[in-house]
Amino acid sequence: MKRTIWAGLLALVLIGSLGSQSIAVEPATSIKSAAEPWWKHAVIYEIYPRSFADSDNNGMGDIKGITSKLDYLKNLGVDALWLTPCYPSPQVDFGYDIADYTAIAPEYGTLADFDELVAEAKKRNIRIIMDLVMNHTSDKHLWFVESSSSKDNPKRDWYIWRDGGGDTMPPNNWLSLFGHSAWKLDPKTNQYYYHFFYAEQPDLNWRNPEVRKAMYDVAKFWLDRGVAGFRLDAIGTLFEEADLPDNPVLAGKNKFGDPNMDNVHNEKLNEVHDVVRELRTVVDSYPDNRVLVGETSARDINELSLTYGKKLDEFQLPMNFFFAFVNKLSAPEFRTRIGEWDKNPAGGWPLYLFSNHDQIRHYIRYGDKTHNDQIAKLTATILLTLRGTPLLYYGEELGMENNDPKSKEDVQDPIGKTGWPDEIGRDGERTPMQWNSELNAGFTAADKPWLPVTPSYKKYNVVAEEADKNSILNFYKELIRLRRTDDALVNGSYQAVDVQNKDVLSYVRKGEKKSVLVALNMTPESKTVQYDLKPYGINSNSAKTLLASPHNTPSSANLRNLTLPPYGVFVGQVQ
Ligand code: GLC
């Protein structure tokens, strides 16, 4: 059975001496206000290192592989790379189980390789954002090895240890997001430890000041090496209520066969804000506007607003999926989501994304199987013309799709093994990057990549798409070029227009002199729109075409009678 979306499970807000190595690189855009931090106008690109490029042909991607592709990324128009974890790890959760926070996994390279990546990226004005997993470590981390060695070990209190609730009973009814009890009995000391994710990912005790200091030191280690900031993993689960009250049980069962549960006592506790503020102070003590991106899956805009901090002193860029999970081409739904985020109560800067390593790729989430390529261009247009920072997931610029495992035996992601067939895991969206139409899509010369390439690679790959002027890749490049160079797309406010239209999503990026109108037909039929933009201070009746797809629109368009083909995209200049 096809899973819906993994993060649907994620009903949670995954919300010394300071070095001063400068990472000053050029602005992320060619037109922008000097006072603005780079991340407001950056295009951020997520890389899953294991799947991007394999330099030593062992079937897994690595750091040198990423470095070898920097020219491609530069050419695409990327300003910053978010690398999912590449620290030493038993790879139970493919890097999200960290065994050493201040080194690079040997299978991905060395610290010297990492330093080279930062330096080579900097030459191309590309910054590196690291993934920081603060909620838990690997059970192979020395901290946990020590902590579990005896009840009186000095690191015992670095993790959450409790006595059982009776014969063979865990301390309470809390469940792991990845299935079954969140407690595991350790026979050595006959106590249970708490793990919100896999049992191999024990939760750290964030009420212990030594833990806090150790993790802030980790942050400084990477900031000193020149990273531009962090994406903070699973931030909403840092704290649990100390007296461990049972969570309310809801009706029905989840994909692992466990009862549904409302995690009121072990998620989104207020103390999370203190930690994010503390880390922000660390990050802010470095020059060059280092950034905190948060994995914050808020339920709604009010909850999301809290993650910016009361004084905008927490996340600069909290992530959220209520935009990505519209999951149907609905003009009213997108209008609502964008409007809310653009005018969020905190006044925070929006971060828009459609896909990541935990979600089914949006090429197929939105695709109707007939117009998928055109729909990919339409979603790209939304992402890259809004007032906010776009976050791309590697390969979306090619129209990469999922390649889901066909049987339980093929699954690599442990949740797919525990939850099969209702939960098939996340392998499908983590397949190798499609570089060319040759063996293994040019990802590796090994016989077998760690995950099989998606069969669509013969057509959807970098080499083929660079040569095709109508490709999805060239459309992304053109959009990124426009958002860098058009003053209204850089600085303009966002204004929804034609707001009653159920089929066509239209908005204006209102600049000082010139503005940009974006019109997106979200239906499989042609649609004609009549605009009156006078109420928005725009008097022209025609628009100069900046970008249109399919490519059949003349150099200007009549705003009183603009016809958009099925899933047609029009971006035009108005004044
Ligand atoms: C985040 C990551 C996910 C990981 C989990 C546990 O949600 O995005 O991939 O499995 O945290 O670290």
Side-chain angles (χ1 to χ4, degrees), residues 12-46:
L12 40 96
V13 171
L14 287 177
I15 74 165
S17 70
L18 300 182
S20 59
Q21 181 179 345
S22 169
I23 54 158
V25 294
E26 282 189 2
T29 52
S30 39
I31 305 175
K32 79 180 190 72
S33 146
E36 292 212 294
W38 64 273
W39 47 261
K40 281 199 168 179
H41 298 286
V43 173
I44 306 180
Y45 185 96
E46 179 191 352

Side-chain angles (χ1 to χ4, degrees), residues 243-279:
D243 52 350
L244 311 181
D246 275 349
N247 277 327
V249 175
L250 308 172
K253 300 247 176 196
N254 68 21
K255 290 179 175 180
F256 301 105
D258 301 319
N260 285 321
M261 196 164 276
D262 191 1
N263 292 345
V264 285
H265 299 303
N266 57 339
E267 279 183 42
K268 304 180 187 178
L269 302 196
N270 265 333
E271 290 152 286
V272 172
H273 292 284
D274 303 333
V275 170
V276 181
R277 267 197 306 276
E278 284 170 14
L279 187 64

Side-chain angles (χ1 to χ4, degrees), residues 530-546:
Q530 287 91 32
Y531 293 105
D532 174 9
L533 300 179
K534 289 202 179 61
Y536 310 98
I538 295 165
N539 295 315
S540 47
N541 284 327
S542 67
K544 181 180 153 209
T545 308
L546 298 173

Side-chain angles (χ1 to χ4, degrees), residues 517-536:
L517 169 72
V518 179
L520 304 159
N521 178 2
M522 296 199 158
T523 76
E525 296 99 38
S526 284
K527 294 284 167 192
T528 300
V529 213
Q530 287 91 32
Y531 293 105
D532 174 9
L533 300 179
K534 289 202 179 61
Y536 310 98

Side-chain angles (χ1 to χ4, degrees), residues 330-337 499-503 505 522:
S330 157
E333 283 260 357
F334 272 109
R335 201 174 286 127
T336 305
R337 298 278 93 86
V499 294
Q500 300 304 330
N501 198 317
K502 290 192 168 35
D503 301 322
L505 178 71
M522 296 199 158

